[in-house]
Amino acid sequence: MKLYITAPSPFARKCRIVAREKGLVDRIEEIVVDPYASDPALVAVNPIVQVPTLVAGDGQPINDSPVICEWLDVHGSDPRLLPAEGSERWRVKRLETLGNAALEMGVKRVLELRRPEHERSASWISRWTDGLHRALDAIEATVPTADAVDMGTITAGVAATWVGFRHPDIDWSGGRPRLTALREALEQRPSFIETRPS
Ligand SMILES: N[C@@H](CCC(=O)N[C@@H](CS)C(=O)NCC(=O)O)C(=O)O
């Protein structure tokens, strides 16, 4: 299997963590590409040229990290990180979606801040910043115990680390002790240590 990534991408990091947690990493070749340079290798497998993209055994590409993570979860070792059904599935899915929402707000903020100063929109930056804080607050209200490892907590932990890495001006941990404890616990795991953003 091939997994197209960038080293700092939090969406790719989730997939790389799940591959490790599920015992699949030896079957996956991680290929570093540059989506913003429209890397031909990535264009060939993903029409919207984003990482992560997974090309699994049947040769059919899968994109969008929640879908890739679920594919890896289904095909890897037990236990499931996203329960197959029932209220637990929706509890985990809800936290996963909040984590991804925080990342989406953060990526929009990065892109706006990368524009030349005279092209930047203060109102968009403010909107993405407020959305990011609200998503983090919702995560704080939703996080279970710090030792829970599932698709929701992995996404929340990845989001917290990435915001600290990419938005050093944002205080993501202040007033969010549960998220802080969760992130600290998860970052001790080999799957997190091996995939720290750089
Ligand atoms: N919803 C997507 C978002 C992926 C995404 O935004 N990836 C970024 C890197 S962090 C990217 O490839 N951006 C290139 C672009 O949008 O042109 C997912 O969850 O996989």
Side-chain angles (χ1 to χ4, degrees):
M1 287 181 275
K2 291 180 176 169
L3 182 64
Y4 294 82
I5 63 163
T6 65
S9 168
F11 300 104
R13 188 183 186 209
K14 288 188 296 150
C15 301
R16 299 172 69 206
I17 288 169
V18 171
R20 285 159 175 76
E21 293 287 341
K22 302 290 292 193
L24 290 169
V25 73
D26 293 341
R27 292 169 48 193
I28 294 178
E29 182 189 356
E30 294 183 342
I31 302 172
V32 177
V33 288
D34 182 354
Y36 294 105
S38 294
D39 195 315
L42 187 58
V43 174
V45 292
N46 185 336
I48 58 166
V49 198
Q50 284 191 333
V51 294
T53 297
L54 177 72
V55 180
D58 64 0
Q60 294 298 315
I62 306 173
N63 52 56
D64 208 31
S65 58
V67 185
I68 296 172
C69 287
E70 187 162 3
W71 193 98
L72 296 171
D73 192 23
V74 167
H75 289 84
S77 56
D78 284 337
R80 288 286 295 271
L81 295 170
L82 178 64
E85 56 192 6
S87 58
E88 259 306 271
R89 176 181 174 84
W90 298 110
R91 185 192 65 72
V92 172
K93 202 75 195 156
R94 180 161 181 270
L95 183 55
E96 180 192 25
T97 302
L98 290 171
N100 284 323
L103 291 174
E104 297 285 354
M105 293 292 109
V107 167
K108 286 175 178 174
R109 187 176 190 270
V110 167
L111 295 180
E112 193 63 35
L113 288 168
R114 278 188 190 160
R115 290 157 71 97
E117 203 165 344
H118 67 278
E119 288 182 14
R120 280 181 214 155
S121 159
S123 63
W124 281 125
I125 293 170
S126 160
R127 182 170 174 81
W128 309 140
T129 306
D130 290 349
L132 177 52
H133 276 292
R134 282 195 297 266
L136 292 173
D137 286 341
I139 290 169
E140 175 69 14
T142 310
V143 155
T145 55
D147 57 359
V149 181
D150 58 39
M151 207 52 244
T153 55
I154 288 172
T155 306
V158 165
T161 293
W162 181 81
V163 172
F165 166 72
R166 200 50 107 195
H167 300 276
D169 57 317
I170 288 186
D171 178 14
W172 67 267
S173 62
R176 300 184 184 113
R178 290 156 62 92
L179 178 57
T180 304
L182 173 74
R183 192 206 79 98
E184 272 169 26
L186 288 174
E187 288 292 349
Q188 309 303 316
R189 298 178 75 81
S191 63
F192 275 69
I193 293 170
E194 287 170 23
T195 59
R196 288 236 170 98
S198 56

